[in-house]
Structure formats: structure tokens, C-alpha cells
């Protein structure tokens, strides 16, 4: 089943740190408009980001400037329920992919975001207690109500993806996965192979490994950074982050990197990576530095 109906931008704007940036509403609007002006129209959220505050902060902008909604695709995720100190009903971190929780989470996200629908809903993490039939019921109910147009998953293995897909008569649109030179598991466990087979484009989170590629002091990060520095001299890239995004995007599953920055210059630098073409040997030099050995 090939998935082609949803069109996302080549880079995704990630807002998981929006609350941490402590910006004013005018500055948040300026950031969103900057992304849109640069061709980044897909906005990635999750109900839990910023301790449930990020969607509301984003939604404040849409309530002030509702015309912006029609220029973007809004993505959100649900299913993680963190413990809440002092709340005896939420005493342990857990997952909840029940029908009722998925529906109630979406309704809360819509209220927080100031929109009538999500372009894409993802199940944030695979749930050991996941009932695929019940999840499908939630998806069908939300789609029938017009509250969610497309569905996908996040951090799912190929077998977990196939289980959910087996209960649906429409195609899941993506699998949002961690992918960087320091997190390559999905390249080797069949996840990205599955994306190629199905013709879906994965979304890639933490491409810069949470900053470890730029400043990490462990041996592995240092090895990768040294190779990136050599390749920067060869290519004339402005900074190392551009090479990382180029490396991620070179995979034939055509990942869509998520940019988690509120800095306009860093956003522009990330987008400029689309003009960088690594040679196969440069790509494998980065892979080798991460693995600590050559290919077999």
C-alpha cells in the first residue's frame, strides 16, 4: 500500500522546545512566519511538549493570525502519559494508546492549537499494551469527524508498523524516527527499508544528536566531528550541521529532517544543506567514524 496523499515540506519545523525559548507571542509569530517564508510549512508538535504548554503557545499565534493555518500542515503526537508529582492518578510514566485516550488527546490538541483539524496524527511511542483494533477505531472515528486527515506512527519497529497498518484500509503516512550519525539503528533494523518498500518518507528527529555532534566530548562524537571537519574543508560547507543534514537526507528513503531551532540563522543554515551533495565515500566515512570500524 503506497502512501502518497499527504505532502509535507522537505524540512519540518520542530516545536518541542518552544516553551523553553520563553519568547513573546510576537516573536513566536515571527518565528512561524520565518519558517513559512523559507518554505518550511510542516509544523511538528506533541501533546506533552513543554509539559503540555507548547501546543497552546503555538495556538496563541494562530488565534491571533488565523490565516497562517492555511499555509501549514500541523502534525501532533499522542500516547505518552508522564507521571505528575503530587497526582496519585499519574504516579508512573506510561503509554496509553486506548481509543478513548487517543480521541481525547486529539480534542485537547485541537483546542490548544486553535485549529479544527490536524493534518497528521502520530502515535508517539509503541505501547506494549497497544491494541491495534482499538487504535484503528480511534483513527476511523477521528477521520470520520474531520478532526484528523492523515495518520502515522513514531519510533515504531517494522513489525509494529505492519500491525497497525493491517487494521486500516488507508495508508499510514510516515514513521518519525531518531536518525543521526550517532543514532543509526533504523538504517540497520529494517525500519528505513520498510519506508522504501512502502514509498513513505520517514521524519527524522534529533539529526544533530541533541547537540552531541557539535560539542559532545565522548570518543564516538569526537571521531565523527573530526571526519565532519575534514569533509567541511572538502565541500566548503558553512558549518558541520549542514553536513549532518546532507548525510541524513542522502539515505534513499528520503528522510524529512526536523529542525528544532528557534534561531533564524540556524534554520537558514539547515535549509542550505539541501545544496550539499556528499560523495558515497564521504557518507561512509561518517558512518565508519560512528561505528568505529569499516564496513565488512
Amino acid at each position: 500500500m503506497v502512501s502518497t496523499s499527504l505532502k509535507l515540506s522537505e524540512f519540518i519545523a520542530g516545536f518541542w522546545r518552544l516553551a523553553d525559548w520563553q519568547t513573546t507571542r510576537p516573536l513566536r509569530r515571527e518565528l512561524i512566519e520565518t519558517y513559512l517564508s523559507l518554505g518550511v510549512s510542516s509544523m511538528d508538535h506533541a501533546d506533552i511538549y513543554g509539559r503540555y504548554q507548547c501546543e497552546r503557545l503555538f495556538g496563541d499565534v494562530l488565534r491571533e493570525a488565523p490565516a497562517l493555518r492555511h499555509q501549514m500542515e500541523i502534525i501532533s503526537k499522542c500516547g505518552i502519559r508522564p507521571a505528575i508529582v503530587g497526582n496519585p492518578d499519574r504516579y508512573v510514566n506510561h503509554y496509553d494508546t486506548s481509543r478513548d485516550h487517543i480521541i481525547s488527546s486529539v480534542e485537547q490538541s485541537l483546542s490548544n492549537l486553535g485549529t479544527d483539524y490536524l493534518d497528521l496524527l502520530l502515535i508517539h511511542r509503541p505501547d506494549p499494551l497497544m491494541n491495534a483494533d482499538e487504535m484503528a477505531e480511534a483513527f476511523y472515528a477521528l477521520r470520520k469527524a474531520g478532526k484528523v486527515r492523515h495518520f502515522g506512527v513514531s519510533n515504531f519497529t517494522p513489525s509494529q508498523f505492519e500491525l497497525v497498518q493491517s487494521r486500516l484500509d488507508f495508508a499510514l503516512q510516515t514513521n518519525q524516527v531518531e536518525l543521526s550519525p550517532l543514532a543509526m539503528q533504523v538504517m540497520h533494523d529494517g525500519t528505513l527499508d520498510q519506508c522504501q518498500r512502502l514509498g513513505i518518507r520517514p521524519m527524522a528527529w534529533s539529526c544533530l544528536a541533541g547537540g552531541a555532534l557539535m560539542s559532545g566530548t565522548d570518543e564516538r562524537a569526537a571521531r565523527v566531528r573530526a571526519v565532519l571537519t575534514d569533509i567541511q574543508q572538502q565541500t566548503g560547507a558553512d558549518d558541520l550541521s549542514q553536513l549532518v543534514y546532507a548525510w541524513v537526507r542522502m539515505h534513499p528513503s528520503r528522510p524529512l529532517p526536523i529542525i528544532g531551532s528557534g534561531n533564524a540563522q540556524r534554520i537558514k543554515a539547515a535549509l542550505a544543506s539541501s545544496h550539499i551533495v556528499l560523495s558515497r565515500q564521504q557518507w561512509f566515512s561518517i558512518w565508519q567514524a560512528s561505528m568505529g570500524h569499516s564496513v565488512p
Side-chain angles (χ1 to χ4, degrees):
M1 185 180 296
V2 177
S3 168
T4 59
S5 56
L6 176 66
K7 300 298 182 184
L8 300 175
S9 52
E10 289 297 311
F11 289 81
I12 311 293
F15 290 94
W16 66 86
R17 291 198 295 258
L18 182 59
D20 297 336
W21 297 332
Q22 298 183 341
T23 56
T24 62
R25 185 167 59 192
L27 287 176
R28 292 197 297 273
R29 178 173 176 176
E30 181 180 346
L31 173 62
I32 294 168
E33 291 176 338
T34 294
Y35 269 117
L36 292 172
S37 70
L38 294 171
V40 179
S41 59
S42 302
M43 310 290 169
D44 183 68
H45 294 272
D47 56 353
I48 64 167
Y49 286 165
R51 297 184 179 181
Y52 298 95
Q53 295 301 308
C54 290
E55 288 184 329
R56 180 184 57 78
L57 292 171
F58 190 95
D60 287 345
V61 174
L62 295 187
R63 281 180 278 272
E64 176 184 78
L68 292 175
R69 175 65 181 97
H70 307 295
Q71 302 176 43
M72 63 179 66
E73 304 84 41
I74 295 183
I75 305 155
S76 194
K77 300 180 284 294
C78 71
I80 299 177
R81 304 198 75 184
I84 299 176
V85 176
N87 184 342
D89 295 327
R90 293 274 291 277
Y91 60 89
V92 65
N93 295 338
H94 63 286
Y95 301 138
D96 188 345
T97 55
S98 65
R99 179 188 185 278
D100 289 347
H101 180 68
I102 292 172
I103 291 175
S104 65
S105 293
V106 167
E107 290 174 344
Q108 186 62 58
S109 288
L110 294 178
S111 175
N112 289 340
L113 288 163
T115 184
D116 295 329
Y117 67 94
L118 297 176
D119 293 278
L120 177 62
L121 173 70
L122 308 179
I123 300 301
H124 206 156
R125 292 275 179 178
D127 176 6
L129 297 178
M130 179 180 72
N131 182 318
D133 294 308
E134 193 172 343
M135 183 181 293
E137 288 179 18
F139 286 5
Y140 282 121
L142 290 166
R143 191 171 72 151
K144 182 178 181 180
K147 294 179 179 180
V148 179
R149 295 185 173 180
H150 304 281
F151 299 85
V153 295
S154 179
N155 305 298
F156 274 46
T157 66
S159 61
Q160 291 162 345
F161 186 103
E162 292 288 352
L163 172 60
V164 177
Q165 184 63 81
S166 72
R167 301 304 199 269
L168 303 171
D169 63 7
F170 55 83
L172 294 171
Q173 297 292 308
T174 191
N175 191 357
Q176 185 179 125
V177 295
E178 183 178 11
L179 178 58
S180 81
L182 297 183
M184 303 191 296
Q185 180 178 351
V186 293
M187 288 187 178
H188 305 296
D189 68 2
T191 299
L192 298 189
D193 300 336
Q194 179 187 57
C195 289
Q196 284 198 76
R197 180 173 65 82
L198 296 175
I200 68 172
R201 300 182 68 179
M203 298 169 63
W205 62 269
S206 200
C207 295
L208 303 181
L213 282 167
M214 305 299 107
S215 58
T217 57
D218 64 280
E219 181 180 349
R220 186 183 184 198
R223 284 198 312 264
V224 174
R225 190 161 56 249
V227 171
L228 289 171
T229 300
D230 289 341
I231 296 175
Q232 182 181 17
Q233 295 173 354
Q234 297 165 18
T235 60
D238 293 331
D239 61 53
L240 301 186
S241 68
Q242 293 180 329
L243 299 174
V244 176
Y245 286 118
W247 184 88
V248 168
R249 283 166 50 83
M250 190 169 167
H251 192 274
S253 63
R254 301 169 63 216
L256 302 170
I258 301 174
I259 305 171
S261 178
N263 181 289
Q265 293 307 311
R266 291 179 183 173
I267 295 167
K268 291 175 182 177
L271 299 179
S273 67
S274 61
H275 302 296
I276 297 174
V277 179
L278 300 177
S279 70
R280 187 171 286 258
Q281 291 192 78
Q282 288 170 332
W283 193 95
F284 272 100
S285 294
I286 297 169
W287 185 94
Q288 177 177 283
S290 177
M291 295 295 288
H293 60 74
S294 177
V295 297

